[in-house]
Amino acid sequence: MSAENRKSQILIFVVLLLSIILVTVSCIGFFSGSQSSTHTIYIGLNDKDTYTQLISTEDAEQIVHTICLQYVDGYTMYQADGYWKDADGKPTKENTLVCVFVGTDKQTVRIIADEVIDALNQNAVLIVSEENNAEFYSGI
């Protein structure tokens, strides 16, 4: 057997071995249920027509809460301050609600976003999605 054939066989073996390892690791993650999606919706509370907040933060929170619980069993909501420049370049602060959904599919999150946009008279909301590992840990 020539040295060139030997190198080709070794290369094929290494590629095959790496492929098997990659598939095995992917399957372990898939079957363990640890792979998850997290979707975060950022909801500014200024009305799209007046650029001012017409619905109180507390009332908006209740509206969003009611919408979310129609589609998911749990989520996290908190208040934040959003900052952006308006059409004239003027810095603007906007009260913002942030909703975090772990293990919910993107289609459901978009349905929630559609209802929130309508209920709070928004132009749009920001949805950030990421793949991660998540678990509900209950201790030892």
Side-chain angles (χ1 to χ4, degrees):
M1 178 181 296
S2 72
E4 189 173 313
N5 283 343
R6 179 91 171 129
K7 286 181 184 179
S8 294
Q9 286 180 340
I10 291 172
L11 180 61
I12 290 170
F13 176 76
V14 169
V15 169
L16 182 61
L17 182 61
L18 289 174
S19 298
I20 290 170
I21 291 170
L22 180 62
V23 168
T24 302
V25 169
S26 297
C27 287
I28 288 171
F30 176 76
F31 289 117
S32 70
S34 62
Q35 290 296 318
S36 182
S37 296
T38 298
H39 304 284
T40 305
I41 303 177
Y42 295 85
I43 307 160
L45 298 183
N46 287 355
D47 181 84
K48 74 176 182 178
D49 299 318
T50 66
Y51 295 103
T52 61
Q53 186 171 339
L54 300 179
I55 300 172
S56 73
T57 301
E58 294 75 21
D59 287 346
E61 197 172 83
Q62 187 56 49
I63 290 167
V64 172
H65 179 67
T66 300
I67 292 168
C68 290
L69 287 182
Q70 291 178 42
Y71 299 99
V72 297
D73 292 330
Y75 67 101
T76 299
M77 183 192 312
Y78 58 92
Q79 295 178 20
D81 295 326
Y83 296 91
W84 51 278
K85 291 183 182 178
D86 67 13
D88 297 326
K90 177 184 170 191
T92 303
K93 176 185 172 190
E94 182 173 12
N95 292 325
T96 302
L97 296 178
V98 181
C99 296
V100 181
F101 305 90
V102 177
T104 302
D105 63 272
K106 192 164 193 170
Q107 180 180 353
T108 300
V109 172
R110 285 184 173 164
I111 291 168
I112 292 168
D114 285 338
E115 289 198 24
V116 167
I117 288 168
D118 185 51
L120 299 180
N121 199 35
Q122 298 292 298
N123 281 317
V125 297
L126 174 64
I127 300 174
V128 177
S129 301
E130 57 188 339
E131 297 298 316
N132 52 42
N133 293 317
E135 67 176 305
F136 284 100
Y137 180 73
S138 59
I140 298 174

